[in-house]
Amino acid sequence: MKSSRFLNESQAALVKQSWPMIVSNGFWTSFYTNLFKRSPSYQLQFDRFAHVPFEELESNVHFLAHSFRTGFAFNAAIGLLETPDELHKILVDLGEKHRKFRLTAEHFEVVKDVLTSMIEDRLPAIDGPDRVELLAEAWKPCITLVIGVIMDSATATTVN
């Protein structure tokens, strides 16, 4: 089994093992509402729900669809942790799709911070604080890898 860049086999196993417990209960809708609370202007990046009142987002079909697509992409990434070349390919593709939005490294840093915070808040504490710390340390390079590759691809300038 190959390990992903920046993520060893043990970390990949811990991430995959903990992911189903973390992602339950509306994780991605909560992610976006937390992102927009932290940086309200980010909601304006999403044409289909840019002007939907914040309190109505979770019932907006376009918001829910985008949350679902994000979850699908992240689930795919988690599933490909043991095949780094395939993982890299889908993350680069996702970044390229975001290039048209002219996002900056700062946008991705905020996304990374919100995602890290949410994952840490949802780490299963069933095996005690040492296990939570172990899981948190496994997730950090995973988030750095996923967001970093997407960011690099999305912010790359094309040369013709």
Side-chain angles (χ1 to χ4, degrees):
M1 171 172 33
K2 282 176 129 179
S3 62
S4 297
R5 296 168 186 98
F6 311 115
L7 200 65
N8 66 38
E9 289 180 16
S10 175
Q11 290 168 321
L14 288 168
V15 165
K16 289 178 89 166
Q17 182 183 69
S18 62
W19 182 237
M21 293 173 269
I22 291 168
V23 78
S24 64
N25 299 323
F27 181 87
W28 292 108
T29 55
S30 294
F31 166 77
Y32 280 108
T33 57
N34 285 329
L35 179 65
F36 299 156
K37 280 180 192 172
R38 177 165 169 183
S39 299
S41 65
Y42 285 22
Q43 185 177 342
L44 299 175
Q45 295 285 335
F46 300 89
D47 291 339
R48 293 188 170 193
F49 53 89
H51 301 290
V52 173
F54 185 80
E55 59 277 358
E56 295 175 20
L57 280 174
E58 291 189 25
S59 62
N60 179 277
V61 67
H62 300 293
F63 174 79
L64 294 172
H66 191 81
S67 298
F68 177 81
R69 286 190 302 273
T70 302
F72 183 80
F74 211 86
N75 285 338
I78 298 298
L80 292 172
L81 286 175
E82 293 153 339
T83 54
D85 292 337
E86 289 179 50
L87 173 61
H88 189 262
K89 184 180 182 307
I90 70 158
L91 296 176
V92 166
D93 182 58
L94 186 57
E96 288 172 353
K97 289 177 182 173
H98 283 78
R99 202 172 286 160
K100 64 185 173 190
F101 302 113
R102 300 177 195 252
L103 302 171
T104 66
E106 181 184 341
H107 287 110
F108 287 97
E109 285 302 317
V110 172
V111 166
K112 180 180 167 186
D113 290 348
V114 171
L115 186 58
T116 299
S117 177
M118 285 191 60
I119 287 173
E120 288 176 352
D121 287 348
R122 289 177 175 232
L123 289 173
I126 53 176
D127 295 327
D130 290 342
R131 177 74 170 174
V132 170
E133 182 61 29
L134 185 65
L135 289 171
E137 289 306 310
W139 271 99
K140 286 176 186 173
C142 179
I143 296 167
T144 298
L145 170 70
V146 170
I147 300 302
V149 173
I150 296 169
M151 177 185 70
D152 289 347
S153 178
T155 59
T157 55
T158 54
V159 178
N160 290 339

PDB file of all heavy atoms in Angstrom, residues 58-92:
ATOM      1  N   GLU A  58     -29.841  26.879   4.668  1.00  0.00           N
ATOM      2  CA  GLU A  58     -29.976  25.432   4.840  1.00  0.00           C
ATOM      3  C   GLU A  58     -31.247  24.859   4.231  1.00  0.00           C
ATOM      4  O   GLU A  58     -31.409  23.635   4.188  1.00  0.00           O
ATOM      5  CB  GLU A  58     -29.839  25.067   6.312  1.00  0.00           C
ATOM      6  CG  GLU A  58     -28.409  25.287   6.792  1.00  0.00           C
ATOM      7  CD  GLU A  58     -28.133  24.747   8.173  1.00  0.00           C
ATOM      8  OE1 GLU A  58     -28.833  23.809   8.612  1.00  0.00           O
ATOM      9  OE2 GLU A  58     -27.206  25.258   8.809  1.00  0.00           O
ATOM     10  N   SER A  59     -32.128  25.707   3.727  1.00  0.00           N
ATOM     11  CA  SER A  59     -33.300  25.209   3.009  1.00  0.00           C
ATOM     12  C   SER A  59     -33.239  25.569   1.521  1.00  0.00           C
ATOM     13  O   SER A  59     -34.185  25.295   0.785  1.00  0.00           O
ATOM     14  CB  SER A  59     -34.586  25.754   3.645  1.00  0.00           C
ATOM     15  OG  SER A  59     -34.620  27.160   3.573  1.00  0.00           O
ATOM     16  N   ASN A  60     -32.124  26.134   1.076  1.00  0.00           N
ATOM     17  CA  ASN A  60     -31.965  26.508  -0.318  1.00  0.00           C
ATOM     18  C   ASN A  60     -31.405  25.328  -1.107  1.00  0.00           C
ATOM     19  O   ASN A  60     -30.354  24.783  -0.764  1.00  0.00           O
ATOM     20  CB  ASN A  60     -31.032  27.723  -0.428  1.00  0.00           C
ATOM     21  CG  ASN A  60     -30.816  28.145  -1.850  1.00  0.00           C
ATOM     22  OD1 ASN A  60     -29.978  27.574  -2.544  1.00  0.00           O
ATOM     23  ND2 ASN A  60     -31.576  29.130  -2.292  1.00  0.00           N
ATOM     24  N   VAL A  61     -32.089  24.941  -2.172  1.00  0.00           N
ATOM     25  CA  VAL A  61     -31.709  23.762  -2.940  1.00  0.00           C
ATOM     26  C   VAL A  61     -30.314  23.901  -3.549  1.00  0.00           C
ATOM     27  O   VAL A  61     -29.559  22.921  -3.624  1.00  0.00           O
ATOM     28  CB  VAL A  61     -32.780  23.421  -4.008  1.00  0.00           C
ATOM     29  CG1 VAL A  61     -32.837  24.488  -5.085  1.00  0.00           C
ATOM     30  CG2 VAL A  61     -32.539  22.061  -4.593  1.00  0.00           C
ATOM     31  N   HIS A  62     -29.926  25.087  -3.970  1.00  0.00           N
ATOM     32  CA  HIS A  62     -28.608  25.281  -4.574  1.00  0.00           C
ATOM     33  C   HIS A  62     -27.502  25.173  -3.527  1.00  0.00           C
ATOM     34  O   HIS A  62     -26.435  24.607  -3.797  1.00  0.00           O
ATOM     35  CB  HIS A  62     -28.535  26.618  -5.304  1.00  0.00           C
ATOM     36  CG  HIS A  62     -29.538  26.734  -6.416  1.00  0.00           C
ATOM     37  ND1 HIS A  62     -29.473  25.964  -7.556  1.00  0.00           N
ATOM     38  CD2 HIS A  62     -30.647  27.503  -6.540  1.00  0.00           C
ATOM     39  CE1 HIS A  62     -30.485  26.260  -8.355  1.00  0.00           C
ATOM     40  NE2 HIS A  62     -31.219  27.186  -7.749  1.00  0.00           N
ATOM     41  N   PHE A  63     -27.766  25.708  -2.353  1.00  0.00           N
ATOM     42  CA  PHE A  63     -26.818  25.584  -1.245  1.00  0.00           C
ATOM     43  C   PHE A  63     -26.652  24.118  -0.850  1.00  0.00           C
ATOM     44  O   PHE A  63     -25.529  23.629  -0.679  1.00  0.00           O
ATOM     45  CB  PHE A  63     -27.302  26.415  -0.044  1.00  0.00           C
ATOM     46  CG  PHE A  63     -26.478  26.235   1.193  1.00  0.00           C
ATOM     47  CD1 PHE A  63     -25.258  26.889   1.330  1.00  0.00           C
ATOM     48  CD2 PHE A  63     -26.918  25.422   2.229  1.00  0.00           C
ATOM     49  CE1 PHE A  63     -24.490  26.734   2.472  1.00  0.00           C
ATOM     50  CE2 PHE A  63     -26.165  25.257   3.371  1.00  0.00           C
ATOM     51  CZ  PHE A  63     -24.941  25.916   3.500  1.00  0.00           C
ATOM     52  N   LEU A  64     -27.760  23.425  -0.733  1.00  0.00           N
ATOM     53  CA  LEU A  64     -27.709  22.008  -0.363  1.00  0.00           C
ATOM     54  C   LEU A  64     -26.999  21.182  -1.428  1.00  0.00           C
ATOM     55  O   LEU A  64     -26.200  20.297  -1.103  1.00  0.00           O
ATOM     56  CB  LEU A  64     -29.120  21.478  -0.116  1.00  0.00           C
ATOM     57  CG  LEU A  64     -29.844  22.081   1.089  1.00  0.00           C
ATOM     58  CD1 LEU A  64     -31.300  21.629   1.118  1.00  0.00           C
ATOM     59  CD2 LEU A  64     -29.143  21.727   2.389  1.00  0.00           C
ATOM     60  N   ALA A  65     -27.253  21.491  -2.680  1.00  0.00           N
ATOM     61  CA  ALA A  65     -26.597  20.764  -3.779  1.00  0.00           C
ATOM     62  C   ALA A  65     -25.089  20.998  -3.756  1.00  0.00           C
ATOM     63  O   ALA A  65     -24.310  20.054  -3.930  1.00  0.00           O
ATOM     64  CB  ALA A  65     -27.180  21.178  -5.126  1.00  0.00           C
ATOM     65  N   HIS A  66     -24.676  22.240  -3.525  1.00  0.00           N
ATOM     66  CA  HIS A  66     -23.238  22.513  -3.473  1.00  0.00           C
ATOM     67  C   HIS A  66     -22.598  21.817  -2.269  1.00  0.00           C
ATOM     68  O   HIS A  66     -21.500  21.259  -2.384  1.00  0.00           O
ATOM     69  CB  HIS A  66     -22.952  24.014  -3.424  1.00  0.00           C
ATOM     70  CG  HIS A  66     -21.506  24.309  -3.634  1.00  0.00           C
ATOM     71  ND1 HIS A  66     -20.939  24.341  -4.881  1.00  0.00           N
ATOM     72  CD2 HIS A  66     -20.503  24.518  -2.746  1.00  0.00           C
ATOM     73  CE1 HIS A  66     -19.639  24.571  -4.755  1.00  0.00           C
ATOM     74  NE2 HIS A  66     -19.355  24.687  -3.472  1.00  0.00           N
ATOM     75  N   SER A  67     -23.279  21.827  -1.150  1.00  0.00           N
ATOM     76  CA  SER A  67     -22.782  21.125   0.041  1.00  0.00           C
ATOM     77  C   SER A  67     -22.622  19.637  -0.254  1.00  0.00           C
ATOM     78  O   SER A  67     -21.616  19.024   0.134  1.00  0.00           O
ATOM     79  CB  SER A  67     -23.748  21.325   1.219  1.00  0.00           C
ATOM     80  OG  SER A  67     -23.837  22.682   1.564  1.00  0.00           O
ATOM     81  N   PHE A  68     -23.603  19.060  -0.937  1.00  0.00           N
ATOM     82  CA  PHE A  68     -23.539  17.655  -1.303  1.00  0.00           C
ATOM     83  C   PHE A  68     -22.358  17.373  -2.229  1.00  0.00           C
ATOM     84  O   PHE A  68     -21.617  16.399  -2.039  1.00  0.00           O
ATOM     85  CB  PHE A  68     -24.853  17.219  -1.980  1.00  0.00           C
ATOM     86  CG  PHE A  68     -24.833  15.794  -2.443  1.00  0.00           C
ATOM     87  CD1 PHE A  68     -25.070  14.761  -1.546  1.00  0.00           C
ATOM     88  CD2 PHE A  68     -24.564  15.482  -3.765  1.00  0.00           C
ATOM     89  CE1 PHE A  68     -25.034  13.443  -1.971  1.00  0.00           C
ATOM     90  CE2 PHE A  68     -24.526  14.164  -4.198  1.00  0.00           C
ATOM     91  CZ  PHE A  68     -24.767  13.137  -3.295  1.00  0.00           C
ATOM     92  N   ARG A  69     -22.148  18.230  -3.225  1.00  0.00           N
ATOM     93  CA  ARG A  69     -21.029  18.039  -4.156  1.00  0.00           C
ATOM     94  C   ARG A  69     -19.684  18.127  -3.435  1.00  0.00           C
ATOM     95  O   ARG A  69     -18.759  17.371  -3.736  1.00  0.00           O
ATOM     96  CB  ARG A  69     -21.094  19.060  -5.306  1.00  0.00           C
ATOM     97  CG  ARG A  69     -22.184  18.767  -6.322  1.00  0.00           C
ATOM     98  CD  ARG A  69     -22.070  19.638  -7.565  1.00  0.00           C
ATOM     99  NE  ARG A  69     -22.115  21.057  -7.287  1.00  0.00           N
ATOM    100  CZ  ARG A  69     -23.221  21.788  -7.185  1.00  0.00           C
ATOM    101  NH1 ARG A  69     -24.398  21.198  -7.345  1.00  0.00           N
ATOM    102  NH2 ARG A  69     -23.165  23.078  -6.957  1.00  0.00           N
ATOM    103  N   THR A  70     -19.577  19.053  -2.495  1.00  0.00           N
ATOM    104  CA  THR A  70     -18.346  19.163  -1.710  1.00  0.00           C
ATOM    105  C   THR A  70     -18.116  17.885  -0.924  1.00  0.00           C
ATOM    106  O   THR A  70     -17.001  17.359  -0.885  1.00  0.00           O
ATOM    107  CB  THR A  70     -18.417  20.365  -0.757  1.00  0.00           C
ATOM    108  OG1 THR A  70     -18.635  21.553  -1.524  1.00  0.00           O
ATOM    109  CG2 THR A  70     -17.144  20.505   0.058  1.00  0.00           C
ATOM    110  N   GLY A  71     -19.167  17.384  -0.304  1.00  0.00           N
ATOM    111  CA  GLY A  71     -19.059  16.138   0.451  1.00  0.00           C
ATOM    112  C   GLY A  71     -18.657  14.973  -0.428  1.00  0.00           C
ATOM    113  O   GLY A  71     -17.807  14.157  -0.056  1.00  0.00           O
ATOM    114  N   PHE A  72     -19.235  14.909  -1.613  1.00  0.00           N
ATOM    115  CA  PHE A  72     -18.898  13.843  -2.552  1.00  0.00           C
ATOM    116  C   PHE A  72     -17.419  13.900  -2.925  1.00  0.00           C
ATOM    117  O   PHE A  72     -16.720  12.889  -2.930  1.00  0.00           O
ATOM    118  CB  PHE A  72     -19.781  13.953  -3.799  1.00  0.00           C
ATOM    119  CG  PHE A  72     -19.564  12.853  -4.783  1.00  0.00           C
ATOM    120  CD1 PHE A  72     -20.146  11.610  -4.596  1.00  0.00           C
ATOM    121  CD2 PHE A  72     -18.763  13.049  -5.894  1.00  0.00           C
ATOM    122  CE1 PHE A  72     -19.937  10.574  -5.503  1.00  0.00           C
ATOM    123  CE2 PHE A  72     -18.540  12.030  -6.804  1.00  0.00           C
ATOM    124  CZ  PHE A  72     -19.129  10.784  -6.606  1.00  0.00           C
ATOM    125  N   ALA A  73     -16.928  15.102  -3.220  1.00  0.00           N
ATOM    126  CA  ALA A  73     -15.520  15.265  -3.606  1.00  0.00           C
ATOM    127  C   ALA A  73     -14.588  14.905  -2.444  1.00  0.00           C
ATOM    128  O   ALA A  73     -13.573  14.225  -2.641  1.00  0.00           O
ATOM    129  CB  ALA A  73     -15.261  16.693  -4.068  1.00  0.00           C
ATOM    130  N   PHE A  74     -14.938  15.344  -1.252  1.00  0.00           N
ATOM    131  CA  PHE A  74     -14.080  15.047  -0.103  1.00  0.00           C
ATOM    132  C   PHE A  74     -14.115  13.564   0.236  1.00  0.00           C
ATOM    133  O   PHE A  74     -13.087  12.973   0.581  1.00  0.00           O
ATOM    134  CB  PHE A  74     -14.478  15.899   1.105  1.00  0.00           C
ATOM    135  CG  PHE A  74     -13.321  16.214   2.001  1.00  0.00           C
ATOM    136  CD1 PHE A  74     -12.508  17.307   1.741  1.00  0.00           C
ATOM    137  CD2 PHE A  74     -13.024  15.423   3.100  1.00  0.00           C
ATOM    138  CE1 PHE A  74     -11.428  17.600   2.555  1.00  0.00           C
ATOM    139  CE2 PHE A  74     -11.950  15.702   3.917  1.00  0.00           C
ATOM    140  CZ  PHE A  74     -11.145  16.798   3.648  1.00  0.00           C
ATOM    141  N   ASN A  75     -15.279  12.948   0.119  1.00  0.00           N
ATOM    142  CA  ASN A  75     -15.361  11.494   0.336  1.00  0.00           C
ATOM    143  C   ASN A  75     -14.478  10.752  -0.657  1.00  0.00           C
ATOM    144  O   ASN A  75     -13.804   9.787  -0.300  1.00  0.00           O
ATOM    145  CB  ASN A  75     -16.809  11.005   0.203  1.00  0.00           C
ATOM    146  CG  ASN A  75     -17.663  11.362   1.385  1.00  0.00           C
ATOM    147  OD1 ASN A  75     -17.174  11.606   2.487  1.00  0.00           O
ATOM    148  ND2 ASN A  75     -18.964  11.408   1.163  1.00  0.00           N
ATOM    149  N   ALA A  76     -14.495  11.203  -1.899  1.00  0.00           N
ATOM    150  CA  ALA A  76     -13.635  10.581  -2.921  1.00  0.00           C
ATOM    151  C   ALA A  76     -12.175  10.743  -2.546  1.00  0.00           C
ATOM    152  O   ALA A  76     -11.377   9.799  -2.666  1.00  0.00           O
ATOM    153  CB  ALA A  76     -13.912  11.191  -4.289  1.00  0.00           C
ATOM    154  N   ALA A  77     -11.806  11.923  -2.076  1.00  0.00           N
ATOM    155  CA  ALA A  77     -10.413  12.162  -1.675  1.00  0.00           C
ATOM    156  C   ALA A  77     -10.007  11.241  -0.528  1.00  0.00           C
ATOM    157  O   ALA A  77      -8.930  10.629  -0.564  1.00  0.00           O
ATOM    158  CB  ALA A  77     -10.224  13.631  -1.279  1.00  0.00           C
ATOM    159  N   ILE A  78     -10.853  11.112   0.457  1.00  0.00           N
ATOM    160  CA  ILE A  78     -10.551  10.230   1.595  1.00  0.00           C
ATOM    161  C   ILE A  78     -10.404   8.790   1.097  1.00  0.00           C
ATOM    162  O   ILE A  78      -9.506   8.060   1.512  1.00  0.00           O
ATOM    163  CB  ILE A  78     -11.644  10.316   2.689  1.00  0.00           C
ATOM    164  CG1 ILE A  78     -11.732  11.735   3.251  1.00  0.00           C
ATOM    165  CG2 ILE A  78     -11.420   9.285   3.786  1.00  0.00           C
ATOM    166  CD1 ILE A  78     -10.503  12.246   3.936  1.00  0.00           C
ATOM    167  N   GLY A  79     -11.259   8.389   0.184  1.00  0.00           N
ATOM    168  CA  GLY A  79     -11.189   7.044  -0.365  1.00  0.00           C
ATOM    169  C   GLY A  79      -9.942   6.772  -1.185  1.00  0.00           C
ATOM    170  O   GLY A  79      -9.552   5.618  -1.366  1.00  0.00           O
ATOM    171  N   LEU A  80      -9.298   7.822  -1.666  1.00  0.00           N
ATOM    172  CA  LEU A  80      -8.105   7.664  -2.505  1.00  0.00           C
ATOM    173  C   LEU A  80      -6.802   7.949  -1.763  1.00  0.00           C
ATOM    174  O   LEU A  80      -5.747   8.050  -2.393  1.00  0.00           O
ATOM    175  CB  LEU A  80      -8.206   8.577  -3.728  1.00  0.00           C
ATOM    176  CG  LEU A  80      -9.290   8.215  -4.737  1.00  0.00           C
ATOM    177  CD1 LEU A  80      -9.426   9.299  -5.800  1.00  0.00           C
ATOM    178  CD2 LEU A  80      -9.002   6.861  -5.377  1.00  0.00           C
ATOM    179  N   LEU A  81      -6.844   8.046  -0.456  1.00  0.00           N
ATOM    180  CA  LEU A  81      -5.625   8.346   0.303  1.00  0.00           C
ATOM    181  C   LEU A  81      -4.510   7.332   0.062  1.00  0.00           C
ATOM    182  O   LEU A  81      -3.336   7.677   0.133  1.00  0.00           O
ATOM    183  CB  LEU A  81      -5.926   8.421   1.805  1.00  0.00           C
ATOM    184  CG  LEU A  81      -6.671   9.669   2.263  1.00  0.00           C
ATOM    185  CD1 LEU A  81      -7.014   9.562   3.751  1.00  0.00           C
ATOM    186  CD2 LEU A  81      -5.870  10.922   1.975  1.00  0.00           C
ATOM    187  N   GLU A  82      -4.874   6.108  -0.226  1.00  0.00           N
ATOM    188  CA  GLU A  82      -3.868   5.065  -0.436  1.00  0.00           C
ATOM    189  C   GLU A  82      -3.391   4.979  -1.881  1.00  0.00           C
ATOM    190  O   GLU A  82      -2.538   4.161  -2.207  1.00  0.00           O
ATOM    191  CB  GLU A  82      -4.420   3.725   0.047  1.00  0.00           C
ATOM    192  CG  GLU A  82      -4.602   3.724   1.549  1.00  0.00           C
ATOM    193  CD  GLU A  82      -5.678   2.773   2.013  1.00  0.00           C
ATOM    194  OE1 GLU A  82      -6.556   2.413   1.198  1.00  0.00           O
ATOM    195  OE2 GLU A  82      -5.648   2.405   3.193  1.00  0.00           O
ATOM    196  N   THR A  83      -3.951   5.811  -2.751  1.00  0.00           N
ATOM    197  CA  THR A  83      -3.515   5.873  -4.148  1.00  0.00           C
ATOM    198  C   THR A  83      -3.200   7.331  -4.484  1.00  0.00           C
ATOM    199  O   THR A  83      -4.014   8.022  -5.105  1.00  0.00           O
ATOM    200  CB  THR A  83      -4.592   5.294  -5.095  1.00  0.00           C
ATOM    201  OG1 THR A  83      -5.835   5.959  -4.842  1.00  0.00           O
ATOM    202  CG2 THR A  83      -4.764   3.796  -4.904  1.00  0.00           C
ATOM    203  N   PRO A  84      -2.032   7.799  -4.054  1.00  0.00           N
ATOM    204  CA  PRO A  84      -1.719   9.229  -4.152  1.00  0.00           C
ATOM    205  C   PRO A  84      -1.746   9.802  -5.563  1.00  0.00           C
ATOM    206  O   PRO A  84      -2.110  10.972  -5.727  1.00  0.00           O
ATOM    207  CB  PRO A  84      -0.323   9.346  -3.536  1.00  0.00           C
ATOM    208  CG  PRO A  84       0.203   7.968  -3.431  1.00  0.00           C
ATOM    209  CD  PRO A  84      -0.957   7.032  -3.438  1.00  0.00           C
ATOM    210  N   ASP A  85      -1.412   9.037  -6.561  1.00  0.00           N
ATOM    211  CA  ASP A  85      -1.442   9.581  -7.917  1.00  0.00           C
ATOM    212  C   ASP A  85      -2.870   9.887  -8.359  1.00  0.00           C
ATOM    213  O   ASP A  85      -3.139  10.939  -8.951  1.00  0.00           O
ATOM    214  CB  ASP A  85      -0.764   8.633  -8.904  1.00  0.00           C
ATOM    215  CG  ASP A  85       0.738   8.527  -8.664  1.00  0.00           C
ATOM    216  OD1 ASP A  85       1.312   9.467  -8.065  1.00  0.00           O
ATOM    217  OD2 ASP A  85       1.336   7.508  -9.058  1.00  0.00           O
ATOM    218  N   GLU A  86      -3.798   8.976  -8.053  1.00  0.00           N
ATOM    219  CA  GLU A  86      -5.203   9.212  -8.383  1.00  0.00           C
ATOM    220  C   GLU A  86      -5.772  10.360  -7.562  1.00  0.00           C
ATOM    221  O   GLU A  86      -6.525  11.194  -8.076  1.00  0.00           O
ATOM    222  CB  GLU A  86      -6.027   7.943  -8.148  1.00  0.00           C
ATOM    223  CG  GLU A  86      -5.757   6.839  -9.147  1.00  0.00           C
ATOM    224  CD  GLU A  86      -6.584   5.606  -8.851  1.00  0.00           C
ATOM    225  OE1 GLU A  86      -7.815   5.758  -8.681  1.00  0.00           O
ATOM    226  OE2 GLU A  86      -6.014   4.507  -8.791  1.00  0.00           O
ATOM    227  N   LEU A  87      -5.407  10.390  -6.282  1.00  0.00           N
ATOM    228  CA  LEU A  87      -5.859  11.473  -5.404  1.00  0.00           C
ATOM    229  C   LEU A  87      -5.388  12.821  -5.947  1.00  0.00           C
ATOM    230  O   LEU A  87      -6.178  13.761  -6.076  1.00  0.00           O
ATOM    231  CB  LEU A  87      -5.328  11.258  -3.983  1.00  0.00           C
ATOM    232  CG  LEU A  87      -5.577  12.394  -2.991  1.00  0.00           C
ATOM    233  CD1 LEU A  87      -7.066  12.639  -2.806  1.00  0.00           C
ATOM    234  CD2 LEU A  87      -4.906  12.069  -1.656  1.00  0.00           C
ATOM    235  N   HIS A  88      -4.124  12.902  -6.291  1.00  0.00           N
ATOM    236  CA  HIS A  88      -3.563  14.142  -6.814  1.00  0.00           C
ATOM    237  C   HIS A  88      -4.299  14.578  -8.077  1.00  0.00           C
ATOM    238  O   HIS A  88      -4.630  15.760  -8.237  1.00  0.00           O
ATOM    239  CB  HIS A  88      -2.062  13.961  -7.074  1.00  0.00           C
ATOM    240  CG  HIS A  88      -1.365  15.229  -7.404  1.00  0.00           C
ATOM    241  ND1 HIS A  88      -1.098  15.616  -8.695  1.00  0.00           N
ATOM    242  CD2 HIS A  88      -0.884  16.213  -6.609  1.00  0.00           C
ATOM    243  CE1 HIS A  88      -0.492  16.778  -8.683  1.00  0.00           C
ATOM    244  NE2 HIS A  88      -0.345  17.166  -7.430  1.00  0.00           N
ATOM    245  N   LYS A  89      -4.601  13.634  -8.937  1.00  0.00           N
ATOM    246  CA  LYS A  89      -5.289  13.950 -10.196  1.00  0.00           C
ATOM    247  C   LYS A  89      -6.668  14.559  -9.936  1.00  0.00           C
ATOM    248  O   LYS A  89      -7.016  15.580 -10.543  1.00  0.00           O
ATOM    249  CB  LYS A  89      -5.415  12.690 -11.046  1.00  0.00           C
ATOM    250  CG  LYS A  89      -6.020  12.901 -12.413  1.00  0.00           C
ATOM    251  CD  LYS A  89      -6.100  11.582 -13.175  1.00  0.00           C
ATOM    252  CE  LYS A  89      -6.627  11.691 -14.551  1.00  0.00           C
ATOM    253  NZ  LYS A  89      -7.889  12.346 -14.735  1.00  0.00           N
ATOM    254  N   ILE A  90      -7.464  13.984  -9.040  1.00  0.00           N
ATOM    255  CA  ILE A  90      -8.810  14.533  -8.812  1.00  0.00           C
ATOM    256  C   ILE A  90      -8.747  15.884  -8.101  1.00  0.00           C
ATOM    257  O   ILE A  90      -9.574  16.747  -8.351  1.00  0.00           O
ATOM    258  CB  ILE A  90      -9.764  13.564  -8.084  1.00  0.00           C
ATOM    259  CG1 ILE A  90      -9.371  13.351  -6.636  1.00  0.00           C
ATOM    260  CG2 ILE A  90      -9.934  12.264  -8.824  1.00  0.00           C
ATOM    261  CD1 ILE A  90     -10.521  12.871  -5.770  1.00  0.00           C
ATOM    262  N   LEU A  91      -7.746  16.061  -7.234  1.00  0.00           N
ATOM    263  CA  LEU A  91      -7.628  17.337  -6.539  1.00  0.00           C
ATOM    264  C   LEU A  91      -7.177  18.446  -7.480  1.00  0.00           C
ATOM    265  O   LEU A  91      -7.675  19.572  -7.408  1.00  0.00           O
ATOM    266  CB  LEU A  91      -6.674  17.213  -5.346  1.00  0.00           C
ATOM    267  CG  LEU A  91      -7.121  16.267  -4.235  1.00  0.00           C
ATOM    268  CD1 LEU A  91      -6.048  16.163  -3.163  1.00  0.00           C
ATOM    269  CD2 LEU A  91      -8.465  16.688  -3.643  1.00  0.00           C
ATOM    270  N   VAL A  92      -6.258  18.130  -8.384  1.00  0.00           N
ATOM    271  CA  VAL A  92      -5.819  19.106  -9.389  1.00  0.00           C
ATOM    272  C   VAL A  92      -7.002  19.479 -10.281  1.00  0.00           C
ATOM    273  O   VAL A  92      -7.234  20.657 -10.566  1.00  0.00           O
ATOM    274  CB  VAL A  92      -4.632  18.560 -10.216  1.00  0.00           C
ATOM    275  CG1 VAL A  92      -4.394  19.395 -11.466  1.00  0.00           C
ATOM    276  CG2 VAL A  92      -3.374  18.494  -9.356  1.00  0.00           C
TER     277      VAL A  92
END
